[in-house]
Amino acid sequence: MVIEIKELTKKFNGELAVDRLSLTIEQGEFFALLGENGAGKTTTIKMLSCLLAPTSGDALMLGDSIVENPLAVKKKMNLSPQETAIARNLSVKENLEFIAKIYGSSKQETKQKTEELIRKFGLEDYAGKKAKNLSGGWQRRLSIAMAMISEPEIIFLDEPTVGLDVRARIDLWKILLQLKGDITIILTTHYLEEVEALADRIGIMQAGRLRALGTLEDLQERTGLEKLQDIFIQLTEEEEGP
Amino acid sequence: MKALAFAGRNRKEILRDPLTLLLGVVMPVAMLWLFSSLEGIMPLDLFTIEKLTPGMIVFSFSFITLFSGMLLGRDKTTSFLMRIFASPMKASEYLIGYAIPLLPVALFQVLVCYGAGVLLGFPVDIHALTGFGVLLIISLLYIGSGLALGTYFTDRQVGGIFAIFVNITTWLSGIWFSPSMIGGAFEQAANLLPFVHAVDAARAAFTGGFTQLLEPLLWVIGYTIVIFGLAIVGFRKKMKGSK
Ligand SMILES: Nc1ncnc2c1ncn2[C@@H]1O[C@H](COP(=O)(O)OP(=O)(O)OP(=O)(O)O)[C@@H](O)[C@H]1O
Ligand SMILES: [Mg+2]
């Protein structure tokens, strides 16, 4: 397995944001992490990408511990944060080149990967423009492309499709479907049709805990419901019991 | 390598926001001209161009504190820093990457202010080279201060704190008048802070007064080490996400 999460816990000032999360994700899996606002999705992703030290517990990413060996973990993964994160005064091309370089790409590789991603994300017309002059959706596309340029083995996408127009969203789905199977993708989103279209397995978090886990079929069977939206509502409505 | 790539990004980010840069050059030059023309008119015992020029260059470095503090503070608030924290760079590489592009900015300020000083009658001699060298060391104090501010505060807070900082570097640095003129607690405070020593060191370097150079320079270097230390500690904490 690629990701092995063991009793991962995060408290902020005594309040539990993530509560003893245990979970394994397989090589090449497309995993959707769902949950209401404040359920702990972003906090989980931040811990797994070594941006936030867990209060307790650990996770092995391709065999390396996020607590013991964050540098080794960081080399193998990348993320697209929930908020668009770009260098404002750099052009689209420079943003991409910059990320490639800090992940250790050579000049040659950097150039080639940058061109490839600009093409993939349809950024050709904007390549020379300063990132701050792009519309929100185009900045978003750039922000996602920046997560892919290091060719990570594991990628975290925290609500990537927020603010994207219909076409951009479908284009992103296509890109993700191409990557599926090769790299391990962990996606959070509030658009459930996205999950139905893309995810191999679904985890639903509530108040920091993993409430349900399985394929769409598993969850359908468990609840007797057809649509993910109904399944989600039912599972997150259940009383918080021990 | 990675630090250099990051430095490149920061250089572009600073140079493409030319307003701040302009402020850091135009304002000191204008003040230099203003104060040198006040000399003789004012009843106060103001300094001559020989003393004003090195002092004004040191003053111009205050803006470097603003640049670096704002840049780092903004990266923090826009979650850009978070994104690059996820990359395999080390704390030292980040700080080097932030600091390096500011050295040429400092050198530019030194040369422009020196040029303006020369036009206003500042004597040209070989000691200028020592002066430039010492000034670059001094600039590290101001770069480090900006990084420390940016590490602990947001860009907005840095803006507010800078207003206080620039007042301190203006009045407690002995650029326009010697703190001993006022004496008392004012003089003591000035002597405990590094700014007056920075100005003293710069003046000594430009006159070739090497015996007077060492002590103030040690003050500056000592403060620089402590401030960079603070920045590194804060930065490491930020990287681990323990907000
Ligand atoms: N830096 C922080 N300091 C204090 N509390 C925090 C911090 N970050 C997150 N929290 C808290 O942790 C909980 C989980 O937040 P998190 O951002 O992980 O939720 P989320 O599932 O990503 O929600 P959303 O769908 O709104 O993005 C929330 O209650 C939040 O208030
Ligand atoms: Mg979130």
Side-chain angles (χ1 to χ4, degrees):
Chain A
M1 64 214 101
V2 175
I3 303 179
E4 192 179 354
I5 306 172
K6 295 183 284 196
E7 300 272 303
L8 200 62
T9 301
K10 182 72 194 180
K11 280 185 192 167
F12 289 111
N13 312 316
E15 291 214 19
L16 277 165
V18 174
D19 188 7
R20 287 164 291 154
L21 182 73
S22 292
L23 174 67
T24 59
I25 296 173
E26 298 297 327
Q27 161 69 36
E29 199 176 349
F30 195 125
F31 189 87
L33 191 58
L34 306 184
E36 296 167 331
N37 292 136
K41 305 180 295 295
T42 299
T43 306
T44 303
I45 287 184
K46 281 188 182 171
M47 285 192 281
L48 294 179
S49 44
C50 310
L51 291 168
L52 202 59
T55 308
S56 63
D58 197 354
L60 298 180
M61 310 278 285
L62 292 153
D64 286 304
S65 153
I66 57 168
V67 178
E68 306 291 328
N69 204 355
L71 206 61
V73 173
K74 286 175 176 184
K75 284 181 186 156
K76 298 181 282 202
M77 52 123 251
N78 205 334
L79 88 158
S80 167
Q82 184 165 352
E83 286 96 32
T84 301
I86 51 178
R88 295 169 46 75
N89 275 321
L90 261 55
S91 72
V92 166
K93 187 159 163 276
E94 287 168 339
N95 263 292
L96 290 166
E97 289 171 345
F98 165 64
I99 297 292
K101 281 186 208 149
I102 62 169
Y103 277 85
S105 286
S106 69
K107 235 181 176 172
Q108 189 75 35
E109 282 175 322
T110 300
K111 193 166 175 282
Q112 176 225 321
K113 285 185 200 169
T114 302
E115 278 168 14
E116 189 187 316
L117 274 156
I118 285 180
R119 207 174 334 109
K120 242 187 193 167
F121 279 81
L123 284 159
E124 292 96 337
D125 292 344
Y126 300 91
K129 271 201 178 176
K130 274 191 194 174
K132 68 173 170 192
N133 295 333
L134 264 49
S135 76
W138 284 100
Q139 290 182 344
R140 193 82 197 149
R141 278 183 240 205
L142 172 61
S143 190
I144 301 165
M146 285 162 77
M148 295 188 176
I149 196 156
S150 65
E151 294 179 348
E153 291 175 70
I154 302 171
I155 192 166
F156 294 99
L157 303 170
D158 199 351
E159 302 192 27
T161 50
V162 171
L164 292 188
D165 62 33
V166 179
R167 191 182 309 277
R169 184 174 304 175
I170 292 172
D171 286 347
L172 180 65
W173 289 10
K174 279 190 200 144
I175 294 171
L176 293 178
L177 282 172
Q178 276 171 24
L179 290 173
K180 197 172 151 168
D182 293 335
I183 72 173
T184 308
I185 303 172
I186 292 93
L187 168 101
T188 80
T189 181
H190 295 293
Y191 301 108
L192 299 180
E193 71 275 15
E194 212 154 271
V195 180
E196 289 170 325
L198 298 168
D200 296 318
R201 228 156 35 112
I202 300 164
I204 299 178
M205 285 183 81
Q206 190 183 23
R209 297 207 197 147
L210 194 63
R211 194 102 199 126
L213 176 69
T215 61
L216 183 58
E217 292 74 37
D218 293 340
L219 298 180
Q220 284 168 336
E221 214 165 283
R222 178 171 154 187
T223 54
L225 295 167
E226 186 62 29
K227 281 183 67 186
L228 183 56
Q229 185 168 320
D230 300 327
I231 297 171
F232 181 85
I233 294 289
Q234 190 183 62
L235 287 173
T236 51
E237 242 170 19
E238 279 171 27
E239 282 302 302
E240 266 181 63
Chain B
M1 238 322 273
K2 288 171 188 161
L4 285 185
F6 188 44
R9 176 264 169 177
N10 294 325
R11 191 193 68 236
K12 288 176 193 150
E13 204 77 43
I14 292 166
L15 296 184
R16 289 178 188 178
D17 230 340
L19 191 73
T20 37
L21 192 63
L22 221 62
L23 205 67
V25 176
V26 171
M27 200 161 132
V29 169
M31 284 168 87
L32 189 61
W33 173 76
L34 186 74
F35 275 83
S36 66
S37 61
L38 282 181
E39 193 205 337
I41 305 172
M42 294 277 281
L44 272 168
D45 185 20
L46 287 174
F47 288 135
T48 55
I49 193 75
E50 284 81 8
K51 287 201 157 182
L52 272 177
T53 305
M56 193 53 71
I57 298 175
V58 172
F59 172 72
S60 74
F61 291 161
S62 311
F63 291 93
I64 293 195
T65 303
L66 181 65
F67 302 152
S68 51
M70 292 285 267
L71 179 63
L72 180 47
R74 190 160 352 107
D75 284 349
K76 233 169 43 185
T77 35
T78 58
S79 67
F80 179 76
L81 198 61
M82 182 184 117
R83 145 160 261 150
I84 56 176
F85 272 171
S87 81
M89 278 207 291
K90 302 188 192 87
S92 55
E93 289 178 308
Y94 287 104
L95 286 175
I96 291 170
Y98 276 119
I100 285 179
L102 290 159
L103 281 170
V105 173
L107 188 63
F108 181 66
Q109 289 179 305
V110 169
L111 294 178
V112 172
C113 291
Y114 175 77
V118 168
L119 290 180
L120 293 165
F122 188 75
V124 180
D125 62 34
I126 189 73
H127 296 310
L129 292 179
T130 327
F132 296 162
V134 167
L135 281 167
L136 282 183
I137 296 175
I138 294 171
S139 74
L140 290 174
L141 170 70
Y142 289 81
I143 293 172
S145 303
L147 296 182
L149 287 181
T151 301
Y152 290 99
F153 301 98
T154 65
D155 52 340
R156 286 183 180 198
Q157 290 168 329
V158 169
I161 293 168
F162 176 71
I164 301 169
F165 181 80
V166 80
N167 265 298
I168 295 174
T169 61
T170 305
W171 303 114
L172 280 93
S173 58
I175 298 174
W176 334 100
F177 56 85
S178 166
S180 63
M181 257 173 66
I182 294 181
F186 183 88
E187 189 184 358
Q188 278 175 355
N191 283 331
L192 282 177
L193 291 170
F195 310 112
V196 89
H197 302 291
V199 171
D200 282 347
R203 282 180 182 149
F206 273 102
T207 55
F210 295 118
T211 44
Q212 292 128 284
L213 175 62
L214 191 66
E215 196 196 318
L217 195 58
L218 283 178
W219 271 90
V220 171
I221 292 173
Y223 257 99
T224 306
I225 291 172
V226 170
I227 286 172
F228 263 97
L230 279 176
I232 291 171
V233 168
F235 212 77
R236 287 237 165 90
K237 264 199 182 149
K238 279 269 137 50
M239 283 185 77
K240 286 195 196 122
S242 39
K243 278 191 193 178

